[in-house]
């Protein structure tokens, strides 16, 4: 029974690692414990240097380098998780402070609100506040472009539709032979 369980766990380990790692850890007559120990040694042998590199990247990440709030927050959270995995966990407050320390200028208002909150909101709450602000900017931009697009359009002159542009539908005028109709298709 023990050998069956060990073989099952060993196959699970082999099937979940990359091909490069598999080439390193696979050995004939290896146990699951030996494979796991080999993997642990591979990932923890350079733990301190990985922590230094991750810490530097975490401390210098800027929102301007990302296409959206979501991408920025996702990268920050990923770096915090990686730091935790190498024995250098990032506190919730530090994560939030790093999040707001390198915001784009458009987000400084919401950054100030987050910074002045006592206690600081959680990372996910702060992320939500930034995402809401981003959605507001997108809505403003869409509304602004629609207003700009409609500027100057419409009827000009005597109000009989002579100033129509090609993007507007022509105004239908009833012919003299057709009886006038009430709106909604009802007769007179």
């Amino acid at each position: 029974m023990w050998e069956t369980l060990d073989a099952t766990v060993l196959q699970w380990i082999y099937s979940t690692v990359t091909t490069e790692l598999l080439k390193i850890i696979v050995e004939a007559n290896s146990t699951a414990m030996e494979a796991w120990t080999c993997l642990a040694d591979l990932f923890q042998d350079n733990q301190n240097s990985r922590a230094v590199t991750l810490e530097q990247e975490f401390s210098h990440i800027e929102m301007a380098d990302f296409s959206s709030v979501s991408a920025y927050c996702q990268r920050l959270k990923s770096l915090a998780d990686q730091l935790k995995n190498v024995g250098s966990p990032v506190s919730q407050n530090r994560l939030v402070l790093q999040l707001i320390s390198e915001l784009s200028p458009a987000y400084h208002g919401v950054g100030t609100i987050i910074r002045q909150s006592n206690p600081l909101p959680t990372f996910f709450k702060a992320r939500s506040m930034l995402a809401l602000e981003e959605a507001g900017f997108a809505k403003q931009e869409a509304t602004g472009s629609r207003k700009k697009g409609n500027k100057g359009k419409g009827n000009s002159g005597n109000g009989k539709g002579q100033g129509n542009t090609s993007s507007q539908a022509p105004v239908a005028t009833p012919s003299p032979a057709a009886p006038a109709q009430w709106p909604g298709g009802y007769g007179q």
Side-chain angles (χ1 to χ4, degrees):
M1 178 69 146
W2 173 251
E3 289 176 357
T4 303
L5 290 174
D6 188 67
T8 303
V9 172
L10 185 61
Q11 287 305 310
W12 175 79
I13 291 171
Y14 287 167
S15 67
T16 57
V17 298
T18 64
T19 306
E20 293 80 24
L21 287 175
L22 181 61
K23 290 177 184 176
I24 295 170
I25 67 168
V26 72
E27 288 185 27
N29 301 321
S30 178
T31 65
M33 183 64 179
E34 291 168 341
W36 186 257
T37 302
C38 186
L39 280 172
D41 290 345
L42 285 170
F43 281 98
Q44 293 175 352
D45 68 341
N46 59 358
Q47 184 174 1
N48 292 330
S49 41
R50 286 183 66 217
V52 168
T53 303
L54 289 167
E55 181 65 42
Q56 188 167 10
E57 186 177 351
F58 179 80
S59 298
H60 293 93
I61 193 168
E62 295 182 16
M63 185 181 191
D65 296 335
F66 296 88
S67 62
S68 68
V69 166
S70 179
Y72 173 58
C73 292
Q74 184 176 0
R75 184 63 184 148
L76 265 175
K77 181 72 168 91
S78 172
L79 288 169
D81 290 345
Q82 290 177 53
L83 280 163
K84 181 181 176 185
N85 290 341
V86 294
S88 298
V90 174
S91 72
Q92 189 67 214
N93 278 358
R94 182 159 176 248
L95 183 56
V96 171
L97 291 173
Q98 183 59 43
L99 172 71
I100 61 174
S101 71
E102 296 297 333
L103 292 175
S104 299
Y107 294 88
H108 282 185
V110 73
T112 299
I113 293 169
I114 293 169
R115 185 176 17 263
Q116 292 178 348
S117 298
N118 190 12
L120 280 175
T122 65
F123 174 76
F124 293 109
K125 174 80 172 170
R127 179 192 183 283
S128 178
M129 292 168 75
L130 291 170
L132 188 60
E133 188 78 358
E134 182 179 54
F137 291 150
K139 186 174 181 181
Q140 267 183 335
E141 189 175 303
T143 303
S145 64
R146 269 190 257 131
K147 285 181 180 176
K148 286 180 187 175
N150 289 337
K151 219 178 211 182
K153 290 187 179 178
N155 296 340
S156 62
N158 62 9
K160 292 188 179 179
Q162 293 145 330
N164 287 343
T165 63
S166 61
S167 64
Q168 291 180 319
V171 177
T173 55
S175 66
Q181 295 287 317
W182 287 94
Y186 296 107
Q188 288 184 345

